[in-house]
Amino acid sequence: MLNRLLLSVVLMGPVFLFVSTTNLVYAEDVAYDKLQLTEEYFAEGASIGDFNKDGKVDIVCGPNWFEGPNFKTKHIFYDGKAYPNDSGYSDNFFSFVGDFSGDGYDDVLVVGLPGTPAHWYENSQSDQPWKKHFAFPAVDNEAPAFADITGDGKPELLCHFEGQLGYAKPNEKDPSQRWTWTPISEKQGWGRYQHGLGVGDINGDGRPDFLMPEGWWEQPENWDGNTPWKKHAYRFAPGGAGIHAYDVDADGDNDVITSLHGHGYGLVWHEQTKSDNGEIKFTQHEIMGTPEKSVSDAVFSQLHAVELADMDGDGVKDIVTGKCYWAHNGHDPGARDPAVIYVFKTIRSDDGKVQFLPIEVDSNSGTGRQITLADVNTDGKMDIVAGDKKGTFLFLAK
């Protein structure tokens, strides 16, 4: 049953007007209607696809997909269950969507608890259960990514496995077989619950690089498929969520955005600079700190999911993040604070400085480990999809 709640948000600068009778929060250029698709906890994330090929965007969270455009019709595509909202963990952390069978229909890749196997479910094109296929034996890291790092136009599953960074991709000859693993690093001491991973072009050579909390691995030109990529050591964070490369200050090179702690406080961007000999260096800038000291008026903990998109249509990417509700079942700093979602609007000044304006989207939903940003209702505006221990949510831009 679809539980529909409304929240409208419109930005008018740094001053916010709260209207309690209508639950409206006004802020310039950003506004949302909140739809709660489920109250049950099915997964730590949610994604989108077009599962019935009707040209409408659908939402997937756990074993359910919801038919767009109103999301009132729910389909169960595998034998999953709801989990307690206040304890334990789902066996579904991430849902990644793609046509893995090659039949023209969107399928779903499910990544579970870190260190456990990944499977993909083949779209049955009906209400019959989808066939389950083994994909990969263990996806390590709590922020795996699904992106095209090889440049072949097809996304790969990015993670680390048996202590090495790398990517897994479907077997092109037989998609039902185990995905092919390609390591790109030497063996490191990473465990299954390592926090933080990303992909992006750091050195501007047009090739995506691997990002981890302790540095970046440079993708070589004409890689031989065996030699480890060159590691450039730098401490981006102790370990938070997704790590993103983006030219924050519009100076022509990519900077890095990440949360500091998936279970604590801190959101930062690292400005890329260069030494006299051209060596890439970074300078850290705080976006949000701790309750004791922060450059931001908004402060919350458990930033376990961080994504970037142009949320207000000004051509500049903004940050979307929030509290990973009950990430350690109430044992993290600030765990009992409201389960918020925020947009941090990127504001560039003429003198080259950058500020981030925090805009509260909601205070009773939060995030899990995965946020999806997409134009769900195809109106030209970016929407927010999330799933966590409070349920499944869609925030439609107004």
Side-chain angles (χ1 to χ4, degrees):
M1 178 178 181
L2 178 69
N3 297 297
R4 182 179 176 90
L5 304 175
L6 280 177
L7 172 73
S8 296
V9 185
V10 181
L11 172 70
M12 300 174 64
V15 179
F16 294 85
L17 172 63
F18 295 85
V19 186
S20 59
T21 55
T22 58
N23 236 6
L24 293 178
V25 182
Y26 293 95
E28 179 184 328
D29 298 328
V30 180
Y32 297 94
D33 286 341
K34 175 182 176 181
L35 282 71
Q36 184 163 2
L37 279 59
T38 70
E39 294 179 346
E40 297 88 358
Y41 167 44
F42 287 106
E44 288 287 330
S47 190
I48 62 163
D50 181 6
F51 302 112
N52 54 1
K53 289 191 72 171
D54 65 351
K56 308 295 184 182
V57 176
D58 309 310
I59 291 174
V60 58
C61 182
N64 312 303
W65 70 270
F66 303 85
E67 252 184 73
N70 58 24
F71 310 102
K72 292 182 179 180
T73 302
K74 181 177 77 173
H75 303 265
I76 301 173
F77 66 95
Y78 73 82
D79 184 18
K81 65 177 183 179
Y83 290 78
N85 297 84
D86 58 356
S87 63
Y89 297 98
S90 167
D91 62 0
N92 185 316
F93 267 45
F94 294 82
S95 294
F96 299 118
V97 176
D99 178 13
F100 306 120
S101 66
D103 64 357
Y105 279 79
D106 280 340
D107 309 304
V108 178
L109 171 66
V110 172
V111 175
L113 283 161
T116 63
H119 298 85
W120 68 275
Y121 291 85
E122 184 176 357
N123 194 327
S124 69
Q125 305 173 31
S126 70
D127 280 332
Q128 296 299 312
W130 295 13
K131 187 176 181 180
K132 181 179 181 180
H133 298 277
F134 175 80
F136 199 66
V139 179
D140 294 334
N141 201 294
E142 294 198 30
F146 193 58
D148 178 16
I149 197 168
T150 64
D152 64 355
K154 302 175 183 178
E156 293 85 30
L157 177 60
L158 314 179
C159 61
H160 47 85
F161 172 62
E162 295 182 339
Q164 289 180 285
L165 273 178
Y167 56 88
K169 60 190 307 181
N171 186 309
E172 294 184 357
K173 294 182 178 179
D174 186 354
S176 66
Q177 297 301 306
R178 168 179 162 163
W179 288 21
T180 303
W181 172 248
T182 303
I184 66 92
S185 76
E186 296 179 342
K187 284 203 171 187
Q188 307 284 311
W190 301 306
R192 61 192 291 188
Y193 296 113
Q194 168 72 39
H195 285 62
L197 184 149
V199 61
D201 182 7
I202 296 297
N203 58 355
D205 62 3
R207 295 184 294 274
D209 307 305
F210 248 108
L211 310 178
M212 287 284 282
E214 64 265 46
W216 59 283
W217 279 255
E218 180 181 348
Q219 181 170 176
E221 185 178 11
N222 301 319
W223 185 42
D224 61 14
N226 293 300
T227 305
W229 296 9
K230 182 179 179 180
K231 177 183 178 180
H232 300 266
Y234 175 79
R235 178 57 68 176
F236 290 115
I243 307 173
H244 301 274
Y246 179 62
D247 188 1
V248 174
D249 51 7
D251 66 352
D253 54 35
N254 277 336
D255 311 297
V256 172
I257 296 173
T258 183
S259 63
L260 292 179
H261 303 277
H263 298 278
Y265 294 93
L267 179 66
V268 300
W269 71 282
H270 297 268
E271 179 185 1
Q272 184 176 156
T273 60
K274 288 184 173 64
S275 63
D276 293 338
N277 63 3
E279 180 185 359
I280 292 176
K281 295 183 177 297
F282 294 93
T283 301
Q284 178 176 304
H285 301 280
E286 180 185 298
I287 299 172
M288 181 176 67
T290 68
E292 292 75 28
K293 184 180 180 182
S294 178
V295 300
S296 169
D297 292 334
V299 178
F300 54 90
S301 64
Q302 299 175 278
L303 284 73
H304 220 304
V306 176
E307 293 296 337
L308 306 184
D310 178 7
M311 303 303 290
D312 54 7
D314 65 354
V316 179
K317 289 186 179 182
D318 310 295
I319 303 169
V320 180
T321 185
K323 176 183 289 296
C324 183
Y325 174 69
W326 233 232
H328 275 164
N329 299 308
H331 300 293
D332 292 319
R336 298 180 185 275
D337 295 341
V340 296
I341 292 181
Y342 266 82
V343 172
F344 285 82
K345 178 180 168 69
T346 307
I347 302 174
R348 295 169 173 167
S349 60
D350 293 338
D351 61 2
K353 294 182 180 179
V354 181
Q355 292 180 312
F356 294 88
L357 176 65
I359 304 164
E360 182 178 294
V361 174
D362 188 50
S363 62
N364 190 27
S365 54
T367 72
R369 271 69 172 176
Q370 178 187 31
I371 308 172
T372 297
L373 308 178
D375 183 5
V376 173
N377 57 359
T378 63
D379 65 352
K381 301 175 182 179
M382 297 298 291
D383 309 304
I384 304 170
V385 181
D388 65 2
K389 289 182 177 177
K390 281 187 172 287
T392 309
F393 301 91
L394 167 63
F395 296 91
L396 285 171
K398 292 172 67 69

